Amino acid sequence: MERFAAETQFRLLKDPQLVGGVYLKTPDRLDELGIVLVMALLVYGILEYRVRQQLDQQEKLFRVPGRSRDYKPTGQVLLGMLQQIKVLLIQYADRRERLLTDNVDDLA
């Protein structure tokens, strides 16, 4: 089961939109890109794990708008939902203020 989960996450890295246009000049940079991508996968996995863990503890099912069933969310679904949330940054002379737009309650 663990191998399946790892393969599923690495499938994300094989996406042509992500790695199709990457050209690096030196092998060292290729190694560094590999490290960054593995770290990104770790964060992606932690995101999935933490959300699923909280849903289990609260005994709630996850509902995705536009889908008819509840299930355990994947990182891709979570990131897609987070992209819909807009943060408004207002710069005043003496401070900055961050506000969430009105659609946040609809997405929650």
Side-chain angles (χ1 to χ4, degrees):
M1 183 66 179
E2 291 177 15
R3 181 177 176 166
F4 176 75
E7 291 294 329
T8 302
Q9 288 188 339
F10 276 99
R11 183 175 20 162
L12 178 69
L13 292 182
K14 296 176 187 176
D15 183 1
Q17 291 181 336
L18 180 64
V19 296
V22 175
Y23 299 100
L24 300 171
K25 293 182 179 180
T26 65
D28 288 342
R29 289 190 179 179
L30 182 61
D31 291 342
E32 292 161 3
L33 176 64
I35 291 169
V36 169
L37 291 175
V38 169
M39 288 173 51
L41 275 181
L42 286 171
V43 171
Y44 184 86
I46 290 169
L47 172 69
E48 280 183 347
Y49 176 77
R50 297 284 304 266
V51 168
R52 290 177 180 183
Q53 185 182 38
Q54 287 298 312
L55 290 170
D56 286 344
Q57 286 178 0
Q58 297 173 8
E59 297 179 358
K60 290 185 178 180
L61 295 174
F62 190 79
R63 188 153 226 30
V64 177
R67 294 196 181 196
S68 60
R69 63 186 192 128
D70 300 320
Y71 71 106
K72 293 188 180 222
T74 63
Q76 218 166 3
V77 168
L78 294 170
L79 292 176
M81 292 182 77
L82 287 173
Q83 283 182 333
Q84 296 175 23
I85 297 174
K86 305 295 182 214
V87 177
L88 187 63
L89 178 63
I90 301 173
Q91 179 73 39
Y92 296 104
D94 59 337
R95 71 183 196 285
R96 288 184 182 175
E97 197 170 311
R98 290 185 182 94
L99 302 171
L100 296 175
T101 57
D102 291 339
N103 70 340
V104 173
D105 290 331
D106 297 336
L107 297 172

mmCIF file of all heavy atoms in Angstrom, residues 52-69:
data_model
loop_
_atom_site.group_PDB
_atom_site.id
_atom_site.type_symbol
_atom_site.label_atom_id
_atom_site.label_comp_id
_atom_site.label_asym_id
_atom_site.label_seq_id
_atom_site.Cartn_x
_atom_site.Cartn_y
_atom_site.Cartn_z
ATOM 1 N N ARG A 52 -6.767 14.761 5.945
ATOM 2 C CA ARG A 52 -7.481 13.488 6.163
ATOM 3 C C ARG A 52 -7.525 13.131 7.642
ATOM 4 O O ARG A 52 -8.541 12.642 8.140
ATOM 5 C CB ARG A 52 -6.817 12.376 5.368
ATOM 6 C CG ARG A 52 -7.015 12.517 3.877
ATOM 7 C CD ARG A 52 -6.288 11.445 3.127
ATOM 8 N NE ARG A 52 -6.491 11.596 1.700
ATOM 9 C CZ ARG A 52 -6.015 10.758 0.803
ATOM 10 N NH1 ARG A 52 -5.303 9.703 1.184
ATOM 11 N NH2 ARG A 52 -6.247 10.957 -0.468
ATOM 12 N N GLN A 53 -6.452 13.384 8.363
ATOM 13 C CA GLN A 53 -6.405 13.101 9.793
ATOM 14 C C GLN A 53 -7.434 13.942 10.538
ATOM 15 O O GLN A 53 -8.163 13.434 11.398
ATOM 16 C CB GLN A 53 -4.995 13.384 10.314
ATOM 17 C CG GLN A 53 -4.777 13.024 11.759
ATOM 18 C CD GLN A 53 -3.366 13.379 12.206
ATOM 19 O OE1 GLN A 53 -2.813 14.410 11.807
ATOM 20 N NE2 GLN A 53 -2.779 12.528 13.025
ATOM 21 N N GLN A 54 -7.525 15.219 10.228
ATOM 22 C CA GLN A 54 -8.502 16.094 10.875
ATOM 23 C C GLN A 54 -9.928 15.682 10.535
ATOM 24 O O GLN A 54 -10.812 15.718 11.395
ATOM 25 C CB GLN A 54 -8.269 17.552 10.473
ATOM 26 C CG GLN A 54 -7.060 18.175 11.113
ATOM 27 C CD GLN A 54 -7.185 18.223 12.628
ATOM 28 O OE1 GLN A 54 -8.203 18.646 13.170
ATOM 29 N NE2 GLN A 54 -6.159 17.769 13.319
ATOM 30 N N LEU A 55 -10.168 15.292 9.299
ATOM 31 C CA LEU A 55 -11.505 14.839 8.919
ATOM 32 C C LEU A 55 -11.895 13.574 9.679
ATOM 33 O O LEU A 55 -13.034 13.424 10.114
ATOM 34 C CB LEU A 55 -11.587 14.600 7.410
ATOM 35 C CG LEU A 55 -11.549 15.852 6.536
ATOM 36 C CD1 LEU A 55 -11.399 15.465 5.071
ATOM 37 C CD2 LEU A 55 -12.785 16.704 6.751
ATOM 38 N N ASP A 56 -10.947 12.660 9.860
ATOM 39 C CA ASP A 56 -11.216 11.436 10.622
ATOM 40 C C ASP A 56 -11.498 11.753 12.088
ATOM 41 O O ASP A 56 -12.411 11.187 12.684
ATOM 42 C CB ASP A 56 -10.041 10.459 10.530
ATOM 43 C CG ASP A 56 -9.956 9.775 9.174
ATOM 44 O OD1 ASP A 56 -10.960 9.813 8.427
ATOM 45 O OD2 ASP A 56 -8.887 9.212 8.871
ATOM 46 N N GLN A 57 -10.724 12.648 12.674
ATOM 47 C CA GLN A 57 -10.919 13.000 14.074
ATOM 48 C C GLN A 57 -12.263 13.685 14.297
ATOM 49 O O GLN A 57 -12.916 13.475 15.315
ATOM 50 C CB GLN A 57 -9.794 13.917 14.563
ATOM 51 C CG GLN A 57 -8.491 13.207 14.778
ATOM 52 C CD GLN A 57 -7.389 14.160 15.215
ATOM 53 O OE1 GLN A 57 -7.597 15.363 15.354
ATOM 54 N NE2 GLN A 57 -6.192 13.621 15.419
ATOM 55 N N GLN A 58 -12.670 14.501 13.350
ATOM 56 C CA GLN A 58 -13.936 15.218 13.482
ATOM 57 C C GLN A 58 -15.111 14.401 12.954
ATOM 58 O O GLN A 58 -16.251 14.835 13.038
ATOM 59 C CB GLN A 58 -13.866 16.555 12.736
ATOM 60 C CG GLN A 58 -12.839 17.490 13.305
ATOM 61 C CD GLN A 58 -12.661 18.733 12.451
ATOM 62 O OE1 GLN A 58 -13.408 18.975 11.504
ATOM 63 N NE2 GLN A 58 -11.674 19.542 12.788
ATOM 64 N N GLU A 59 -14.795 13.230 12.409
ATOM 65 C CA GLU A 59 -15.799 12.335 11.819
ATOM 66 C C GLU A 59 -16.644 13.073 10.788
ATOM 67 O O GLU A 59 -17.868 12.970 10.755
ATOM 68 C CB GLU A 59 -16.667 11.706 12.905
ATOM 69 C CG GLU A 59 -15.868 10.825 13.843
ATOM 70 C CD GLU A 59 -16.705 10.219 14.946
ATOM 71 O OE1 GLU A 59 -17.909 10.505 15.025
ATOM 72 O OE2 GLU A 59 -16.130 9.447 15.727
ATOM 73 N N LYS A 60 -15.971 13.819 9.934
ATOM 74 C CA LYS A 60 -16.639 14.552 8.863
ATOM 75 C C LYS A 60 -16.207 13.973 7.526
ATOM 76 O O LYS A 60 -15.100 13.467 7.387
ATOM 77 C CB LYS A 60 -16.275 16.031 8.896
ATOM 78 C CG LYS A 60 -16.860 16.784 10.056
ATOM 79 C CD LYS A 60 -16.544 18.255 9.922
ATOM 80 C CE LYS A 60 -17.161 19.039 11.057
ATOM 81 N NZ LYS A 60 -16.883 20.470 10.956
ATOM 82 N N LEU A 61 -17.098 14.096 6.565
ATOM 83 C CA LEU A 61 -16.759 13.725 5.201
ATOM 84 C C LEU A 61 -16.436 14.993 4.429
ATOM 85 O O LEU A 61 -16.940 16.073 4.727
ATOM 86 C CB LEU A 61 -17.917 12.980 4.551
ATOM 87 C CG LEU A 61 -18.245 11.630 5.198
ATOM 88 C CD1 LEU A 61 -19.506 11.053 4.575
ATOM 89 C CD2 LEU A 61 -17.096 10.660 5.043
ATOM 90 N N PHE A 62 -15.599 14.855 3.437
ATOM 91 C CA PHE A 62 -15.149 15.997 2.647
ATOM 92 C C PHE A 62 -16.019 16.127 1.413
ATOM 93 O O PHE A 62 -16.183 15.193 0.665
ATOM 94 C CB PHE A 62 -13.687 15.780 2.247
ATOM 95 C CG PHE A 62 -13.046 16.982 1.640
ATOM 96 C CD1 PHE A 62 -12.606 18.014 2.442
ATOM 97 C CD2 PHE A 62 -12.869 17.077 0.279
ATOM 98 C CE1 PHE A 62 -11.999 19.124 1.891
ATOM 99 C CE2 PHE A 62 -12.264 18.174 -0.273
ATOM 100 C CZ PHE A 62 -11.828 19.203 0.531
ATOM 101 N N ARG A 63 -16.575 17.292 1.213
ATOM 102 C CA ARG A 63 -17.440 17.511 0.063
ATOM 103 C C ARG A 63 -16.775 18.495 -0.885
ATOM 104 O O ARG A 63 -16.388 19.582 -0.494
ATOM 105 C CB ARG A 63 -18.777 18.053 0.496
ATOM 106 C CG ARG A 63 -19.735 18.083 -0.670
ATOM 107 C CD ARG A 63 -21.077 17.974 -0.171
ATOM 108 N NE ARG A 63 -22.201 17.269 -0.460
ATOM 109 C CZ ARG A 63 -22.394 16.090 -0.963
ATOM 110 N NH1 ARG A 63 -21.416 15.351 -1.319
ATOM 111 N NH2 ARG A 63 -23.568 15.587 -1.131
ATOM 112 N N VAL A 64 -16.651 18.065 -2.121
ATOM 113 C CA VAL A 64 -16.073 18.911 -3.156
ATOM 114 C C VAL A 64 -17.219 19.463 -3.989
ATOM 115 O O VAL A 64 -18.050 18.698 -4.474
ATOM 116 C CB VAL A 64 -15.104 18.102 -4.054
ATOM 117 C CG1 VAL A 64 -14.556 18.958 -5.167
ATOM 118 C CG2 VAL A 64 -13.977 17.530 -3.224
ATOM 119 N N PRO A 65 -17.294 20.785 -4.147
ATOM 120 C CA PRO A 65 -18.371 21.350 -4.960
ATOM 121 C C PRO A 65 -18.348 20.775 -6.378
ATOM 122 O O PRO A 65 -17.298 20.636 -6.989
ATOM 123 C CB PRO A 65 -18.051 22.852 -4.989
ATOM 124 C CG PRO A 65 -17.194 23.081 -3.799
ATOM 125 C CD PRO A 65 -16.442 21.804 -3.582
ATOM 126 N N GLY A 66 -19.520 20.383 -6.850
ATOM 127 C CA GLY A 66 -19.623 19.822 -8.194
ATOM 128 C C GLY A 66 -19.483 18.317 -8.252
ATOM 129 O O GLY A 66 -19.621 17.716 -9.304
ATOM 130 N N ARG A 67 -19.193 17.681 -7.132
ATOM 131 C CA ARG A 67 -19.101 16.221 -7.082
ATOM 132 C C ARG A 67 -20.232 15.680 -6.224
ATOM 133 O O ARG A 67 -20.643 16.311 -5.260
ATOM 134 C CB ARG A 67 -17.765 15.768 -6.519
ATOM 135 C CG ARG A 67 -16.620 16.141 -7.428
ATOM 136 C CD ARG A 67 -15.407 15.349 -7.058
ATOM 137 N NE ARG A 67 -14.308 15.750 -7.931
ATOM 138 C CZ ARG A 67 -13.223 15.058 -8.078
ATOM 139 N NH1 ARG A 67 -13.054 13.943 -7.422
ATOM 140 N NH2 ARG A 67 -12.277 15.470 -8.868
ATOM 141 N N SER A 68 -20.678 14.514 -6.565
ATOM 142 C CA SER A 68 -21.865 13.980 -5.899
ATOM 143 C C SER A 68 -21.553 13.139 -4.665
ATOM 144 O O SER A 68 -22.455 12.767 -3.945
ATOM 145 C CB SER A 68 -22.664 13.135 -6.889
ATOM 146 O OG SER A 68 -21.872 12.057 -7.351
ATOM 147 N N ARG A 69 -20.298 12.819 -4.429
ATOM 148 C CA ARG A 69 -20.007 11.941 -3.293
ATOM 149 C C ARG A 69 -18.935 12.540 -2.390
ATOM 150 O O ARG A 69 -18.180 13.413 -2.791
ATOM 151 C CB ARG A 69 -19.582 10.566 -3.763
ATOM 152 C CG ARG A 69 -18.304 10.567 -4.557
ATOM 153 C CD ARG A 69 -17.994 9.190 -5.118
ATOM 154 N NE ARG A 69 -16.632 9.204 -5.613
ATOM 155 C CZ ARG A 69 -15.724 8.331 -5.293
ATOM 156 N NH1 ARG A 69 -16.006 7.351 -4.498
ATOM 157 N NH2 ARG A 69 -14.515 8.409 -5.772
#
